[in-house]
Amino acid sequence: IGTIHYVDRSGNTHQLDDGLAFPNGIVLTPDGKKLYLAESQKNRVHVYDVTAPGKVSNRKVFAELPKKNEATGQIDNQPDGMCLDAAGNLYVAHYGMKQVQVLDPSFNKYRLLLASVERLATGMRWCEGPVYFGDARCLLWSDIPNNRIMRWDEDTGSVSVYRKPSDHANGNTRDRQGRLITCEHDARRVTRTEYDGSITVLIDRFE
C-alpha cells in the first residue's frame, strides 16, 4: 500500500493521499486544477481536484483500464507512466498490454487508421519515463537496468545516451519552466536538470 506526496519550494513534504495499491505515474494538468494518478495494481487511473498547492480532494476513478488477454500474448495490465498533450489528452503507458488503446470513444475521430506504431529505438533492457521536449524536438527516457537516460532526435532519428550513469533513473517529467525532473532509484532522490545541465536535488529524504 502506497502514498503520494507534495514537496513545496522549501523542501517540506506533505502527504496527499494513502491506501493506494502501488501508486505510479502522476501528472498535473497545465492549469494546476487536476491531478491524475495511476494506481498500478488496481489497473486504473484516478483524478483529484487540486484545491491549493499541496492539497487535493474529491478523488474519483477516471478510467478502469482494459484487462489483459493472455491468448494474445499480453503479460500484464499495470498502468505506469503518464503524460498530457497540448490539448489535455491523457496518455498512459499500460505495461505488458502490447497495444495502443483508445479509452474514450470520442477520441476515435482523431485516430488515423493508416497510422502505425513506429519503433524509435531498440537495445534497451527496460524503458520507462518517456518525456517529450517539443522545443528541442527530442524524446528522453530511462533505460533503468543499463543505468542511463536515452535521447531520440526527431530531426535526424538518431538515438544517443543523454546521461550515464543516471543513478538508475526511472520516471521523468518537465516542470512549468520546461526543466527535466527525474526520479533516481540509486540515490533515492528527485532531481531537476537546470538549463545549463547542472543538477539540483529537490528531495532526498522524508521525515
Side-chain angles (χ1 to χ4, degrees):
I1 300 299
T3 58
I4 57 173
H5 300 265
Y6 168 82
V7 182
D8 62 29
R9 293 183 178 181
S10 299
N12 300 312
T13 304
H14 312 269
Q15 182 172 306
L16 300 184
D17 201 2
D18 59 9
L20 297 158
F22 205 114
N24 203 330
I26 191 167
V27 62
L28 183 70
T29 57
D31 61 10
K33 295 182 179 179
K34 298 289 184 181
L35 182 73
Y36 293 97
L37 173 75
E39 188 178 17
S40 289
Q41 293 181 355
K42 293 292 186 179
N43 194 34
R44 61 191 179 187
V45 175
H46 296 288
V47 62
Y48 298 82
D49 292 326
V50 180
T51 57
K55 295 183 179 180
V56 297
S57 64
N58 195 28
R59 182 178 83 188
K60 295 180 180 178
V61 175
F62 176 74
E64 297 280 2
L65 299 181
K67 298 181 179 179
K68 68 178 179 180
N69 182 352
E70 294 180 358
T72 64
Q74 296 171 348
I75 59 174
D76 212 336
N77 57 339
Q78 295 197 38
D80 203 320
M82 303 191 299
C83 70
L84 291 164
D85 65 14
N89 298 304
L90 181 67
Y91 294 79
V92 183
H94 202 191
Y95 172 73
M97 294 295 282
K98 298 185 177 181
Q99 62 185 199
V100 177
Q101 301 152 352
V102 177
L103 302 182
D104 186 343
S106 66
F107 185 79
N108 282 326
K109 62 183 178 181
Y110 301 108
R111 183 181 177 189
L112 300 176
L113 296 179
L114 295 178
S116 61
V117 176
E118 178 184 355
R119 186 171 67 181
L120 301 182
T122 187
M124 280 66 66
R125 292 178 59 194
W126 183 345
C127 299
E128 282 206 31
V131 56
Y132 179 65
F133 285 73
D135 48 348
R137 297 182 64 84
C138 72
L139 179 76
L140 301 181
W141 71 92
S142 298
D143 180 13
I144 303 174
N146 286 324
N147 195 22
R148 60 186 181 176
I149 296 177
M150 305 298 292
R151 183 184 189 275
W152 172 76
D153 186 282
E154 187 174 4
D155 289 328
T156 66
S158 62
V159 176
S160 59
V161 175
Y162 174 78
R163 178 178 299 155
K164 182 179 177 67
S166 65
D167 284 322
H168 288 96
N170 186 350
N172 299 287
T173 189
R174 298 181 76 180
D175 66 11
R176 293 184 179 179
Q177 288 71 46
R179 295 168 295 190
L180 177 66
I181 306 296
T182 302
C183 298
E184 300 177 358
H185 281 184
D186 275 358
R188 302 180 65 85
R189 64 184 188 177
V190 179
T191 63
R192 180 179 65 220
T193 301
E194 307 295 349
Y195 299 126
D196 62 2
S198 62
I199 295 177
T200 299
V201 177
L202 299 182
I203 184 171
D204 60 2
R205 64 181 60 86
F206 173 64
E207 295 183 344

